[in-house]
Coordinates of all heavy atoms in Angstrom, one line a residue:
K599 N 136.3 86.2 40.4 CA 137.6 86.4 39.7 C 138.6 87.4 40.5 O 139.7 87.5 40.0 CB 137.3 86.9 38.3 CG 136.5 85.9 37.4 CD 136.2 86.4 36.0 CE 135.4 85.4 35.3 NZ 135.1 85.9 34.0
I600 N 138.0 88.1 41.4 CA 138.8 89.0 42.2 C 139.4 88.2 43.4 O 138.6 87.7 44.1 CB 138.0 90.2 42.7 CG1 137.3 90.8 41.6 CG2 138.9 91.2 43.3 CD1 136.3 91.9 42.0
I601 N 140.6 88.1 43.5 CA 141.1 87.2 44.6 C 141.8 88.0 45.7 O 142.3 89.2 45.5 CB 142.1 86.2 44.1 CG1 143.3 86.9 43.3 CG2 141.5 85.3 43.2 CD1 144.4 85.9 42.9
G602 N 141.8 87.5 46.8 CA 142.6 88.1 48.0 C 142.5 89.5 48.2 O 141.4 90.0 48.5
K603 N 143.6 90.1 48.3 CA 143.7 91.5 48.7 C 142.8 92.5 47.9 O 142.3 93.5 48.4 CB 145.2 92.0 48.6 CG 145.9 91.9 47.3 CD 147.4 92.1 47.4 CE 148.0 92.0 46.0 NZ 149.5 92.2 46.1
R604 N 142.6 92.2 46.6 CA 141.8 93.2 45.8 C 140.4 93.1 46.2 O 139.7 94.1 46.3 CB 142.0 92.9 44.3 CG 141.4 94.0 43.4 CD 141.9 93.9 42.1 NE 141.3 94.9 41.2 CZ 141.7 96.3 41.2 NH1 142.7 96.6 42.0 NH2 141.2 97.2 40.4
K605 N 140.0 91.9 46.5 CA 138.5 91.7 46.9 C 138.3 92.5 48.3 O 137.3 93.1 48.5 CB 138.2 90.2 47.0 CG 136.8 90.0 47.4 CD 136.5 88.4 47.7 CE 136.8 87.7 46.4 NZ 136.5 86.3 46.6
A606 N 139.3 92.4 49.1 CA 139.2 93.1 50.4 C 139.2 94.5 50.2 O 138.4 95.2 50.9 CB 140.4 92.7 51.3
A607 N 140.0 95.0 49.3 CA 140.0 96.5 49.0 C 138.7 96.9 48.5 O 138.1 98.0 48.9 CB 141.1 96.8 48.0
V608 N 138.0 96.1 47.6 CA 136.7 96.5 47.1 C 135.7 96.6 48.2 O 134.9 97.5 48.3 CB 136.3 95.5 46.0 CG1 134.8 95.7 45.6 CG2 137.2 95.6 44.8
L609 N 135.7 95.6 49.1 CA 134.8 95.6 50.2 C 135.0 96.8 51.1 O 134.0 97.5 51.6 CB 135.0 94.4 51.0 CG 134.1 94.2 52.2 CD1 132.6 94.1 51.9 CD2 134.5 92.9 53.1
M610 N 136.3 97.2 51.4 CA 136.5 98.3 52.3 C 136.0 99.6 51.7 O 135.5 100.4 52.4 CB 138.1 98.4 52.6 CG 138.6 97.2 53.3 SD 138.1 97.1 55.1 CE 139.6 98.0 55.8
A611 N 136.2 99.7 50.3 CA 135.9 100.9 49.7 C 134.4 101.0 49.7 O 133.7 102.1 49.9 CB 136.3 100.9 48.2
A612 N 133.6 99.9 49.6 CA 132.2 99.8 49.6 C 131.6 100.2 50.9 O 130.5 100.8 51.0 CB 131.6 98.5 49.0
L613 N 132.2 99.8 52.0 CA 131.7 99.9 53.3 C 131.7 101.4 53.8 O 131.0 101.8 54.7 CB 132.5 99.0 54.3 CG 132.3 97.5 54.2 CD1 133.2 96.8 55.2 CD2 130.8 97.1 54.5
G614 N 132.7 102.1 53.3 CA 132.8 103.5 53.7 C 133.8 103.7 54.7 O 134.4 102.7 55.3
R615 N 134.2 105.0 55.0 CA 135.3 105.4 55.8 C 135.2 104.8 57.2 O 136.1 104.2 57.8 CB 135.5 106.9 55.8 CG 136.7 107.4 56.6 CD 136.7 108.9 56.6 NE 136.9 109.4 55.2 CZ 136.9 110.7 55.0 NH1 136.8 111.6 55.9 NH2 137.1 111.1 53.7
E616 N 134.1 105.1 57.9 CA 133.9 104.7 59.3 C 134.0 103.2 59.5 O 134.7 102.7 60.4 CB 132.6 105.2 59.8 CG 132.6 106.8 59.9 CD 131.4 107.3 60.7 OE1 130.6 106.4 61.1 OE2 131.2 108.5 60.7
S617 N 133.3 102.5 58.7 CA 133.2 101.0 58.9 C 134.6 100.4 58.6 O 135.1 99.5 59.2 CB 132.2 100.4 58.0 OG 130.9 100.8 58.3
A618 N 135.2 101.0 57.5 CA 136.5 100.4 57.2 C 137.6 100.7 58.2 O 138.4 99.9 58.6 CB 137.0 101.1 55.9
A619 N 137.4 101.9 58.9 CA 138.3 102.2 60.0 C 138.2 101.2 61.1 O 139.1 100.9 61.8 CB 138.1 103.6 60.5
D620 N 136.9 100.8 61.4 CA 136.7 99.9 62.6 C 137.3 98.6 62.2 O 137.9 97.8 63.0 CB 135.1 99.6 62.7 CG 134.4 100.8 63.4 OD1 135.2 101.7 64.0 OD2 133.2 101.1 63.2
I621 N 137.2 98.1 60.9 CA 137.8 96.8 60.5 C 139.3 96.9 60.6 O 140.0 95.9 61.0 CB 137.4 96.5 59.1 CG1 135.9 96.2 59.0 CG2 138.1 95.2 58.6 CD1 135.3 96.0 57.7
Y622 N 139.9 98.0 60.2 CA 141.3 98.1 60.2 C 141.9 97.9 61.7 O 143.1 97.4 61.8 CB 141.8 99.6 59.9 CG 142.1 99.8 58.4 CD1 141.7 101.0 57.8 CD2 142.8 98.8 57.7 CE1 142.0 101.2 56.4 CE2 143.2 99.0 56.4 CZ 142.8 100.1 55.7 OH 143.0 100.3 54.5
R623 N 141.2 98.2 62.7 CA 141.6 97.9 64.1 C 142.0 96.5 64.3 O 142.7 96.1 65.3 CB 140.6 98.4 65.1 CG 140.4 99.9 65.0 CD 139.6 100.4 66.3 NE 139.3 101.8 66.1 CZ 138.2 102.3 65.7 NH1 137.1 101.5 65.4 NH2 137.9 103.6 65.7
Y624 N 141.3 95.6 63.6 CA 141.6 94.1 63.8 C 142.6 93.5 62.9 O 142.8 92.3 62.9 CB 140.2 93.4 63.6 CG 139.1 93.8 64.6 CD1 138.2 94.8 64.3 CD2 139.0 93.1 65.9 CE1 137.3 95.3 65.3 CE2 138.1 93.6 66.8 CZ 137.2 94.6 66.5 OH 136.2 95.0 67.3
L625 N 143.2 94.3 62.0 CA 144.2 93.8 61.1 C 145.6 94.0 61.5 O 145.9 94.9 62.4 CB 144.0 94.6 59.7 CG 142.6 94.4 59.1 CD1 142.6 95.1 57.7 CD2 142.2 93.0 58.9
T626 N 146.5 93.3 61.1 CA 147.9 93.5 61.4 C 148.5 94.6 60.6 O 147.8 95.1 59.6 CB 148.7 92.2 61.1 OG1 148.7 92.0 59.6 CG2 148.2 90.9 61.8
D627 N 149.6 95.1 60.9 CA 150.2 96.2 60.2 C 150.4 95.8 58.8 O 150.2 96.6 57.8 CB 151.5 96.6 60.9 CG 151.4 97.2 62.3 OD1 150.3 97.7 62.6 OD2 152.3 97.3 62.9
S628 N 150.9 94.6 58.6 CA 151.1 94.1 57.2 C 149.9 94.1 56.3 O 149.8 94.5 55.2 CB 151.8 92.7 57.2 OG 151.9 92.2 55.9
E629 N 148.7 93.7 56.9 CA 147.4 93.6 56.3 C 146.9 95.0 55.9 O 146.4 95.2 54.8 CB 146.5 92.8 57.1 CG 146.7 91.3 57.2 CD 145.9 90.6 58.3 OE1 145.4 91.3 59.2 OE2 145.8 89.4 58.1
V630 N 147.1 95.9 56.9 CA 146.7 97.3 56.7 C 147.4 97.9 55.5 O 146.9 98.5 54.6 CB 146.9 98.2 57.9 CG1 146.7 99.7 57.6 CG2 145.9 97.6 59.1
E631 N 148.7 97.7 55.5 CA 149.6 98.1 54.4 C 149.2 97.7 53.0 O 149.0 98.3 52.0 CB 151.0 97.9 54.7 CG 152.0 98.4 53.6 CD 153.5 98.1 54.0 OE1 153.7 97.7 55.1 OE2 154.3 98.3 53.1
T632 N 148.9 96.3 53.0 CA 148.6 95.7 51.7 C 147.2 96.1 51.2 O 147.1 96.5 50.0 CB 148.5 94.1 52.0 OG1 149.8 93.7 52.4 CG2 148.1 93.4 50.7
I633 N 146.3 96.2 52.1 CA 144.9 96.6 51.7 C 144.9 98.1 51.2 O 144.3 98.5 50.3 CB 143.9 96.4 52.7 CG1 143.7 94.9 53.0 CG2 142.5 97.0 52.3 CD1 142.8 94.5 54.0
T634 N 145.6 98.9 52.0 CA 145.7 100.4 51.7 C 146.4 100.6 50.3 O 145.9 101.4 49.5 CB 146.5 101.1 52.7 OG1 146.0 100.9 54.0 CG2 146.7 102.6 52.5
M635 N 147.4 99.8 50.0 CA 148.0 99.9 48.6 C 147.0 99.6 47.6 O 146.9 100.2 46.5 CB 149.3 99.0 48.5 CG 150.4 99.5 49.3 SD 151.0 101.1 48.7 CE 151.7 100.6 47.2
E636 N 146.2 98.4 47.8 CA 145.2 98.1 46.9 C 144.1 99.2 46.7 O 143.6 99.4 45.6 CB 144.6 96.8 47.3 CG 145.4 95.6 47.1 CD 145.7 95.3 45.6 OE1 144.7 95.4 44.8 OE2 146.8 95.0 45.2
L637 N 143.7 99.7 47.8 CA 142.7 100.8 47.8 C 143.2 102.0 46.9 O 142.5 102.6 46.1 CB 142.4 101.3 49.2 CG 141.4 100.5 50.0 CD1 141.4 100.9 51.4 CD2 140.0 100.6 49.4
A638 N 144.5 102.3 47.1 CA 145.1 103.4 46.4 C 145.1 103.2 44.8 O 145.0 104.2 44.1 CB 146.5 103.7 46.9
N639 N 145.2 101.9 44.5 CA 145.3 101.6 43.0 C 144.0 100.9 42.5 O 144.0 100.4 41.4 CB 146.4 100.6 42.8 CG 147.8 101.2 43.2 OD1 148.2 102.2 42.6 ND2 148.5 100.6 44.1

């Protein structure tokens, strides 16, 4: 029931800071911004 960007945010939060930072390197600026906003909320 969790779709798109929110599911990605849950995964990034669960993986932890270092793993999430590694994944961020492969994302576009727009994707980084979107997921970061979801993480914040």
Side-chain angles (χ1 to χ4, degrees):
K599 298 179 181 179
I600 308 174
I601 60 174
K603 55 188 179 182
R604 188 163 183 80
K605 184 183 295 184
V608 171
L609 178 64
M610 296 287 266
L613 289 175
R615 182 182 300 175
E616 291 186 5
S617 296
D620 288 337
I621 294 175
Y622 265 141
R623 297 191 183 101
Y624 297 93
L625 304 179
T626 65
D627 292 342
S628 176
E629 290 168 339
V630 169
E631 181 179 346
T632 299
I633 294 176
T634 301
M635 289 296 295
E636 283 296 318
L637 278 169
N639 297 304

